[in-house]
Amino acid sequence: MVSTLLKSRILGYEGYDLAHAYGNEKWFGRAKKIEFINRKKIFITTKFNLSDKNIDLRKELEGSLERLGTNYVDLYLMHWPYPNNYIDAWKQMENLYKEGKARAIGVCNFQIRHLEELLKHCDVIPMVNQIEIHPLNTEKEVIQYCKEKSIQVQAYCPLGLMQDKIVKNDILNRLAVKYNKSIPQIILKWNIQNEIIPLPKSTKYKRLKQNIDIFDFELEKKEIQEIDSLNENYKIYIPEKYCKGY
Ligand SMILES: NC(=O)c1ccc[n+]([C@@H]2O[C@H](COP(=O)([O-])OP(=O)(O)OC[C@H]3O[C@@H](n4cnc5c(N)ncnc54)[C@H](OP(=O)(O)O)[C@@H]3O)[C@@H](O)[C@H]2O)c1
């Protein structure tokens, strides 16, 4: 049976967003091996979870590399900013970066306050901040801050899990009709035109194909602003549920 990895490669996908906590590193490593995926042609991101306890990140990353069947990751991310130990974890990440085991390092779910604190202590500025962004949660201030510091923003949950509030939205539906595209395609294009890298997830070939077919149209500036204006700070992943003391 052909895996989602191979199907997505055929369609032209290069980047894969994984995490120890998602339990998908092993599956990915196995599919990569069986299907002779060329390591140099793909960009592997994985993440580690902090908790209240200190963590030995060298050991943690070694585990990920073993499961993935590779000797480096392209991007290593801290999943949540646990207040008591995210600075210490970042120091460990810097060492892994300097050794080349992680070709780039970054963070997820960092608000401006977390980034400001980190920047006071770091030698290496995070290259990426991966946060929840969709039309109902646009995170304009964090994005602006990241732009000023040259931190690339990635949008997780970019389709807002296709919840009803997204699917039934008038503005998104109007733009979908105008461009003869689906709502996911409109949202993903809105991200790209805002210089954000979206990370949509799908298990279905038809949708994978649709989600990458967004490079033959451009939204107008006022349409981008219309989507921006849908913001209501509506979060699907509630930070306090995942990160004590957030
Ligand atoms: N850093 C973090 O803390 C964090 C947290 C959450 C997620 N993430 C990352 O972000 C990725 C995406 O997030 P997500 O899965 O929560 O949300 P999402 O990408 O917004 O939504 C995925 C859902 O949308 C459906 N879908 C995808 N394309 C579609 C299309 N063209 N038409 C209709 N439905 C479509 C999928 O269903 P089907 O599979 O049935 O197509 C799936 O149910 C994850 O895979 C993960 O890598 C990171």
Side-chain angles (χ1 to χ4, degrees), residues 1-13 16 27 159 161-162 182 184-185 188 200-213:
M1 202 173 77
V2 177
S3 76
T4 309
L5 171 60
L6 186 55
K7 288 183 206 161
S8 69
R9 284 295 295 136
I10 292 164
L11 290 168
Y13 284 86
Y16 297 90
W27 167 87
L159 307 177
L161 288 180
M162 290 298 279
S182 65
Q185 287 171 314
L188 297 172
K201 191 215 91 180
S202 180
T203 49
K204 303 192 171 61
Y205 181 80
K206 219 173 97 185
R207 289 175 174 172
L208 286 169
K209 189 164 185 241
Q210 190 188 108
N211 293 350
I212 204 170
D213 177 23

Side-chain angles (χ1 to χ4, degrees), residues 17-18 22 47 77 79-80 108-109 130 155-162 182 184 199-204 207-208 210-211 237:
D17 186 72
L18 312 166
Y22 302 157
K47 319 183 188 79
L77 296 177
H79 221 146
W80 289 94
C108 303
N109 300 297
Q130 184 182 114
Y156 79 69
C157 198
L159 307 177
L161 288 180
M162 290 298 279
S182 65
L199 305 168
K201 191 215 91 180
S202 180
T203 49
K204 303 192 171 61
R207 289 175 174 172
L208 286 169
Q210 190 188 108
N211 293 350
Y237 295 89

